[in-house]
Amino acid sequence: MSDRTFHILTFGCQMNVNDSEWLARALVARGFTQAPLGKARVNIVNTCSVRDKPEQKVYSVLGRIRQATRKLPDAFAVVGGCVAQQIGAGFFTRFPQVRLVFGGDGSAMAPQAIERLCAEPGLRVSLLDFSEEYPERDAQLQSGPVPPSAFVNIMQGCDNFCAYCIVPYTRGRQKSRAADAVVRECAELVEHGAREITLLGQNVNSYGQDAEAARHATTADGGKAVTFAELLHRVAALPGLARLRFVTPHPKDIAPEVIDAFGTLDNLCPRLHLPMQSGSDRILKAMGRKYDMARYMDIVQRLKAARPDIQLSTDIIVGFPGETEQDFEDTLVAMRAVGFAASFSFCYSDRPGTRAAMLPGKLEAAEKAARLARLQEWQNDYTEQCLRNMVGTDTEVLLDGMSKKPDMAPGGGHDDGAGIPGGESWQGRDPYGQPVNVVLPARPERGPAGGPEGWLGRIVPVTIVEAKKHSLRGVLRA
Ligand code: 5AD
Ligand code: SF4
């Protein structure tokens, strides 16, 4: 039998991570096994093109793969995701080892294609067509345990065409997945041990507002497409689901019912990622974001009223074309006013074909980098302060694995004050999504996720005793 080993490298957003995990399960179900880079026959790179840097990384990774596999005559590479959609068959000429390119809608067909490529050495395949319908994928739950925190796609693509963003071109038009299929997948994940589910989409608030959603509407829904708020309620009602999250909402169309859900659904976690992008109305307008800061701050106030302990995080682009020092300062003022627990900030990067790429007033790289550094310095201090504020509080931690840090390794003798000789160090997340490390007594029996580790997937009561730069340390409460 020919070698059926694979390795996947993933760049970019959680959607890509989710696609890669599905692809890995689908390949394992077809008899493939995972192998390290340089040893695997099928080398898959799942790519992101949202900024220029991640795109450049793909090219260097393909060079690395070529080097690492030069002694494996059958080895080949597969490029999936947004850069694959953008460059397409151009990969075949630039990198002869690439034999399959697939985009977001083509991923459902990738496992079959990889199987064919293993059997037919001369073949090359491209799966780049956008489909009209949401490309439903086979459930692959049977192969391997389900992680305690699982991700479920609810839509593909985006229709917003923000001026800087390549996503509408690489992921195509918005297509909502059928609500019944979403709820069914969530229910299966919970049955197999998932305690937390994160619903994924480029713009979850407009779930249900597209032609594909209208096609899914059933008489049980009164013939109308299911809204995002209704979907949240349906998933939240699944017995056994301890935590529900979603990402990413667009501020322009967050419905009052979604804000209310933070006050009414017990298992909807008190943490929301709400991309602001800029704190300047002038720049928001140029970005085509369709909200101003008055609207953004109103949403923040209403979220805090619905759920007073809610923590927010955001995305910021620094140095959008035409951004003045005053515009940038407006962003800093807005960030201080909201008090984001975390932010992901990026220098503006020209993406081919987008409106912003054609705008005048581009900033020098050094100016963008200097502004970014100022913003990140403030955020880092504030994030540390948020973590320090948690010290002394009681929380609940969903355990998702054993600690990887050497000083937190099992039996590593880490003195955490918990007084548990020979205890096991575990990591997990609190309801806000903050990483927490905790030492627990050894627990040999199987956990609820069916895995070999007894604590995996359990939610334990913890008191936070220390704040580190990016994480917390807690002790088990009796
Ligand atoms: N340049 C810089 N950052 C970008 N993002 C999207 N497009 C660009 C771009 N051209 C950022 C936005 C988005 C996040 C995923 O990436 O902040 O929310
Ligand atoms: Fe890009 Fe805007 Fe769509 Fe987000 S909402 S994916 S930033 S176009």
Side-chain angles (χ1 to χ4, degrees), residues 114-453:
I114 290 171
E115 204 151 43
R116 266 194 74 191
L117 291 169
C118 285
E120 297 173 49
L123 193 69
R124 285 185 151 167
V125 179
S126 73
L127 299 170
L128 297 169
D129 287 347
F130 288 116
S131 55
E132 295 261 304
E133 295 176 5
Y134 180 91
E136 225 17 93
R137 303 187 292 207
D138 305 339
Q140 298 290 350
L141 298 175
Q142 67 283 10
S143 49
V146 164
S149 297
F151 295 85
V152 174
N153 256 36
I154 67 166
M155 63 210 295
Q156 273 276 29
C158 180
D159 285 351
N160 288 321
F161 290 95
C162 297
Y164 50 80
C165 189
I166 201 166
V167 166
Y169 307 96
T170 56
R171 293 245 172 201
R173 292 294 66 67
Q174 177 182 311
K175 293 182 291 261
S176 294
R177 185 177 180 193
D180 288 349
V182 172
V183 175
R184 202 176 319 119
E185 183 175 344
C186 293
E188 280 175 15
L189 284 163
V190 174
E191 269 165 38
H192 284 76
R195 309 296 315 277
E196 173 178 295
I197 284 179
T198 304
L199 302 177
L200 294 176
Q202 297 293 347
N203 175 12
V204 293
N205 288 320
S206 52
Y207 173 84
Q209 298 167 27
D210 50 68
E212 177 67 345
R215 204 176 63 78
H216 296 313
T218 62
T219 39
D221 303 320
K224 286 207 296 278
V226 174
T227 66
F228 180 58
E230 287 162 355
L231 185 70
L232 272 181
H233 277 266
R234 281 205 204 172
V235 176
L238 289 172
L241 180 66
R243 292 180 178 182
L244 176 59
R245 305 178 191 276
F246 60 85
V247 75
T248 305
H250 192 307
K252 82 175 161 59
D253 47 13
I254 190 163
E257 294 79 9
V258 172
I259 295 177
D260 292 346
F262 282 94
T264 53
L265 296 177
D266 287 344
N267 50 2
L268 185 59
C269 290
R271 170 87 174 211
L272 185 65
H273 186 68
L274 192 64
M276 183 171 90
Q277 311 297 3
S278 168
S280 151
D281 284 348
R282 215 175 61 80
I283 295 296
L284 287 173
K285 193 154 196 290
M287 287 177 164
R289 292 289 289 173
K290 303 190 181 83
Y291 55 85
D292 59 13
M293 281 314 294
R295 162 93 175 121
Y296 189 92
M297 295 309 282
D298 177 55
I299 296 167
V300 169
Q301 292 321 321
R302 286 189 291 131
L303 284 164
K304 287 182 175 172
R307 186 75 196 246
D309 67 333
I310 198 162
Q311 285 189 2
L312 300 173
S313 59
T314 201
D315 286 344
I316 301 287
I317 297 177
V318 168
F320 186 79
E323 184 189 80
T324 61
E325 174 63 25
Q326 183 58 51
D327 292 319
F328 174 66
E329 276 169 25
D330 288 350
T331 300
L332 293 179
V333 168
M335 292 186 72
R336 286 192 198 105
V338 179
F340 294 107
S343 67
F344 301 88
S345 46
F346 317 95
C347 286
Y348 165 77
S349 131
D350 264 345
R351 306 314 293 125
T354 59
R355 273 180 291 136
M358 265 98 74
L359 286 177
K362 298 277 163 60
L363 277 80
E364 293 291 331
E367 180 59 35
K368 288 190 280 189
R371 288 183 189 176
L372 187 72
R374 276 163 69 195
L375 185 148
Q376 291 184 340
E377 194 178 329
W378 181 82
Q379 182 66 60
N380 289 344
D381 286 350
Y382 190 79
T383 297
E384 278 183 48
Q385 191 184 316
C386 289
L387 291 175
R388 276 198 306 274
N389 288 344
M390 309 299 284
V391 174
T393 62
D394 290 345
T395 189
E396 298 204 316
V397 176
L398 169 57
L399 299 165
D400 54 28
M402 299 193 74
S403 300
K404 290 183 191 77
K405 288 189 200 144
D407 66 335
M408 294 294 285
H414 182 90
D415 176 17
D416 76 323
I420 306 174
E424 295 177 345
S425 289
W426 279 80
Q427 61 190 17
R429 294 199 180 252
D430 71 6
Y432 305 102
Q434 306 283 13
V436 182
N437 287 293
V438 57
V439 175
L440 300 165
R443 184 166 189 155
E445 80 270 28
R446 280 178 177 266
E453 297 119 332

Side-chain angles (χ1 to χ4, degrees), residues 7 9 37-38 40-45 58-71 75-79 97:
H7 185 87
L9 280 165
L37 191 70
R41 180 176 182 202
V42 189
N43 298 275
I44 304 160
V45 192
V58 178
Y59 302 131
S60 70
V61 159
L62 283 172
R64 245 174 66 209
I65 290 176
R66 185 168 39 202
Q67 268 297 318
T69 58
R70 68 191 185 284
K71 294 213 178 90
F76 63 93
V78 170
V79 185
Q97 83 269 33

Side-chain angles (χ1 to χ4, degrees), residues 5-11 16-28 33-37 40 42-47 61 65 78 80 102 114:
T5 50
F6 71 98
H7 185 87
I8 309 186
L9 280 165
T10 307
F11 296 95
N16 271 13
V17 174
N18 199 36
D19 285 352
S20 291
E21 285 175 359
W22 175 83
L23 184 56
R25 288 197 299 276
L27 288 173
V28 169
T33 51
Q34 309 222 27
L37 191 70
V42 189
N43 298 275
I44 304 160
V45 192
N46 203 356
T47 63
V61 159
I65 290 176
V78 170
F102 68 87
I114 290 171

